[in-house]
Amino acid sequence: MDTFIYTFFNLEIMAQALPLLLKGAVTTLQLCAVVIVAGLAGGLALALAALSRNAALHWSAVVFIDLFRALPPLVLLVFVYSGLPFAGLRLTPFMAVVIAFFLNNSAYFAEVFRAGINAVPKGQTEAARATGLSPAQTMGFVVLPQAVRNVLPDLLSNTVEVVKLTSLASVVSLSELLYSANMARSVTYNASPLVLAAGMYLIVLWPLVRVISRYQRGLAVT
């Protein structure tokens, strides 16, 4: 038992590793902010393109969504970081992660947005157009607010997945939370920094997961 506690819950080693892990947590939060905002914006643009009556725009968006939903995020990340230099494009680890996760997450967010938009009754669009609103105004002021409300739990759930996905960034040596914990583990020969990193993820994600669960149950009741 003492060996287990020393190996996984060594408070002294956790205290020594904490500054390094906090720096990694800052990088993780910065990465989440960029990827989530870019993913939401890209997903909305893709959803609108997929719903377009322009055949070329529609099928381009559909192929993009299907392709990047099918590719595993880790494979995509390794390709962007290690494959693009052969084409003469060298990216920093941060930019490689942002691009790879943007491509992956925008495809998933696009399907969520498209489902929300399709769930809005067509009568809402017809009524808005009858009042003199343009197609863009109808989409922005009438359809999208209702669509986002309909799929908000799914958007929040995807956001949680994005936060967890950032742990893959350690593969390209980006000094985010997991990478920092691994560095501390390799120096101390102790797993306690990894346990501390897991606890930091839980502190951030568990309250959000609880909020999403309560919101989803509330929708089910109503």
Side-chain angles (χ1 to χ4, degrees):
M1 187 64 180
D2 290 341
T3 303
F4 178 82
I5 294 175
Y6 177 83
T7 303
F8 294 99
F9 298 96
N10 191 311
L11 297 181
E12 182 180 351
I13 291 178
M14 285 183 178
Q16 293 173 356
L18 183 59
L20 179 62
L21 265 63
L22 288 175
K23 290 182 181 179
V26 170
T27 301
T28 294
L29 291 175
Q30 292 172 339
L31 183 61
C32 288
V34 174
V35 171
I36 290 170
V37 172
L40 286 169
L44 178 58
L46 282 170
L48 295 176
L51 293 169
S52 172
R53 295 181 179 178
N54 183 295
L57 191 60
H58 167 77
W59 285 111
S60 296
V62 169
V63 170
F64 182 99
I65 292 169
D66 288 348
L67 175 63
F68 288 106
R69 287 181 71 200
L71 279 174
L74 182 57
V75 173
L76 183 59
L77 175 57
V78 172
F79 174 79
V80 171
Y81 183 71
S82 302
L84 291 184
F86 288 98
L89 182 59
R90 292 190 175 275
L91 300 172
T92 64
F94 189 89
M95 284 305 302
V97 174
V98 167
I99 291 173
F101 289 177
F102 164 75
L103 294 173
N104 178 262
N105 292 316
S106 60
Y108 279 95
F109 279 125
E111 285 299 279
V112 174
F113 278 120
R114 183 161 66 169
I117 293 171
N118 285 334
V120 177
K122 291 184 178 180
Q124 297 285 329
T125 301
E126 295 169 355
R129 295 301 306 278
T131 63
L133 294 179
S134 67
Q137 290 173 326
T138 299
M139 180 61 68
F141 297 129
V142 178
V143 177
L144 277 182
Q146 296 182 70
V148 170
R149 184 183 61 189
N150 291 338
V151 297
L152 186 57
D154 295 319
L155 291 175
L156 293 174
S157 295
N158 275 21
T159 300
V160 171
E161 292 301 318
V162 172
V163 177
K164 293 190 290 185
L165 194 65
T166 57
S167 61
L168 295 179
S170 61
V171 172
V172 296
S173 301
L174 179 64
S175 56
E176 45 75 61
L177 182 54
L178 179 60
Y179 182 84
S180 299
N182 260 323
M183 290 299 99
R185 179 197 55 79
S186 65
V187 171
T188 60
Y189 299 99
N190 190 285
S192 297
L194 292 174
V195 175
L196 179 58
M200 295 171 73
Y201 276 114
L202 281 175
I203 289 172
V204 174
L205 293 178
W206 186 77
L208 183 57
V209 170
R210 292 306 308 155
V211 169
I212 295 172
S213 296
R214 293 187 65 178
Y215 184 72
Q216 288 174 327
R217 285 199 298 268
L219 287 179
V221 171
T222 56

